[in-house]
Amino acid sequence: MSIVTCIAPVNIAVIKYWGKRDEQLILPVNDSISASLDTDQLCAKTTIMASADFDADRIWLNGREESINNPRLQNCLREIKKRAQLSPEMENWKLHICSKNNFPTAAGLASSAAGYACLSAALAKLYRVEGDISSIARCGSGSACRSVYGGFVRWYAGTDPNGNDSIAKQIVPASHWPEMRILILVVNEERKKTSSAIGMKNGVLTSELLKYRAEHCVPKRVEEMNQAIMTKNFEKFAQLMMKDSNQMHAVCLDTSPPCFYLNDVSFGVIDLIHAYNEASNRVKVGYTNDAGPNTVLYLLEKDVPEVLGLLDYYFPSKPVDNVEYKRGNPPASAPLSEE
Ligand code: DP6
């Protein structure tokens, strides 16, 4: 029996992937950029056992057996076998795949990205497939191709109809910007009503703004973001990220039927961050939202204590009577910067 184990990080996009030009091959309409979280914090861990003695391929996710016939899972298996030099022994292998996240699914984080990146890495190790595996992870879930690498990562949309150039590449490792911190605000633990796959599919079919964004906004923004990361220009980085997140959610509203991923708390956090940046006379914090109400903040290490204090005041984990954020009217005791 052969056994391999891999881990892969969760990634949070700062320029969003939203819309596929090919549903089958999972090819995006635009490039995207993300940061991978440290794997000692949030990651997926996958172990694959391969043996000719097993009766069938099987998969367990977080301890529960799931269907091996999931088409996206089958896509990854097919892609890896296409690239492998299959020995007669490998031809007879049946696989038992166990995958676990080290974070609660209830945290509402996209676990599929880390999961499919991890599965692809483990399959590549097992079948001794060398070279880039981001395009294999992409066949499981688009954003998974970015979780194949650490640090800041760019997924190139590519132009090849077969998707051969739709791959992810690392921009810089995490050590390039060691002061960068990410805060994940769990606003709601429920599963989202409209999956990102459905939301973006409807968007491609019905939103003119989606087309405009992909053709006229993201190409320039993605280059600027790349530059902001390379030069560690936090203000530029945060401004681009907030604009891009809001534009993605504007596309969601422009979609028919519209998808609402943000709730009142998400909007409250967004409003608070803008007021805080304004009061600080510079952009100290940036936010971004994926296909759900949870808000992710990017900020520099030195600003973490103050921002945590601010969040705790306006959005205490346990609701407190009479404390509510109202723009332009912060109570005197509000821990806003006095600079
Ligand atoms: C809002 O990668 O989950 O998180 O390719 O259909 O699996 P599929 O979609 P998925 O979409 C992620 C969308 C996003 C933005 C992003 O991560 O870039």
Side-chain angles (χ1 to χ4, degrees), residues 26-210:
I26 312 199
L27 301 178
V29 293
N30 57 259
D31 287 18
S32 55
I33 293 181
S34 61
S36 290
L37 306 185
D38 287 348
T39 44
D40 56 354
Q41 288 169 356
L42 301 171
C43 71
K45 184 176 186 179
T46 301
T47 298
I48 307 181
M49 286 156 283
S51 167
D53 294 335
F54 291 152
D55 291 341
D57 290 341
R58 295 172 72 179
I59 184 162
W60 290 261
L61 297 182
N62 296 316
R64 237 186 58 186
E65 183 157 16
E66 304 277 342
S67 168
I68 195 77
N69 296 323
N70 176 325
R72 288 175 167 217
L73 174 67
Q74 288 299 327
N75 286 348
C76 291
L77 286 168
R78 196 191 51 243
E79 284 302 310
I80 207 91
K81 287 183 187 167
K82 248 195 331 206
R83 293 190 206 184
Q85 306 259 338
L86 291 175
S87 64
E89 188 204 352
M90 287 173 178
E91 298 267 14
N92 293 326
W93 273 350
K94 295 278 183 257
L95 309 180
H96 282 187
I97 305 168
C98 297
S99 192
K100 268 190 173 172
N101 302 323
N102 72 345
F103 53 93
T105 311
L109 290 163
S111 51
S112 57
Y116 277 111
C118 203
L119 173 76
S120 307
L123 286 171
K125 206 162 147 190
L126 188 71
Y127 285 99
R128 294 186 206 116
V129 169
E130 309 257 309
D132 174 75
I133 56 156
S134 69
S135 55
I136 297 169
R138 195 199 74 226
C139 296
S141 179
S143 56
C145 72
R146 298 186 312 240
S147 273
V148 163
Y149 299 104
F152 287 94
V153 182
R154 176 166 174 176
W155 174 13
Y156 292 82
T159 50
D160 178 18
N162 297 319
N164 290 323
D165 54 359
S166 189
I167 58 172
K169 288 184 186 167
Q170 187 184 62
I171 300 172
V172 283
S175 57
H176 169 77
W177 209 343
E179 308 84 7
M180 186 65 96
R181 291 291 176 274
I182 296 175
L183 297 178
I184 299 170
L185 311 183
V186 179
V187 167
N188 187 323
E189 298 181 0
E190 281 167 28
R191 276 189 167 273
K192 51 198 172 209
K193 262 201 328 245
T194 313
S195 70
S196 21
I198 297 294
M200 63 176 95
K201 187 174 179 184
N202 290 342
V204 167
L205 293 173
T206 63
S207 168
E208 284 173 38
L209 183 56
L210 186 148

Side-chain angles (χ1 to χ4, degrees), residues 326-337:
K326 287 215 176 57
R327 182 120 203 238
N329 186 24
S333 57
L336 279 172
S337 169

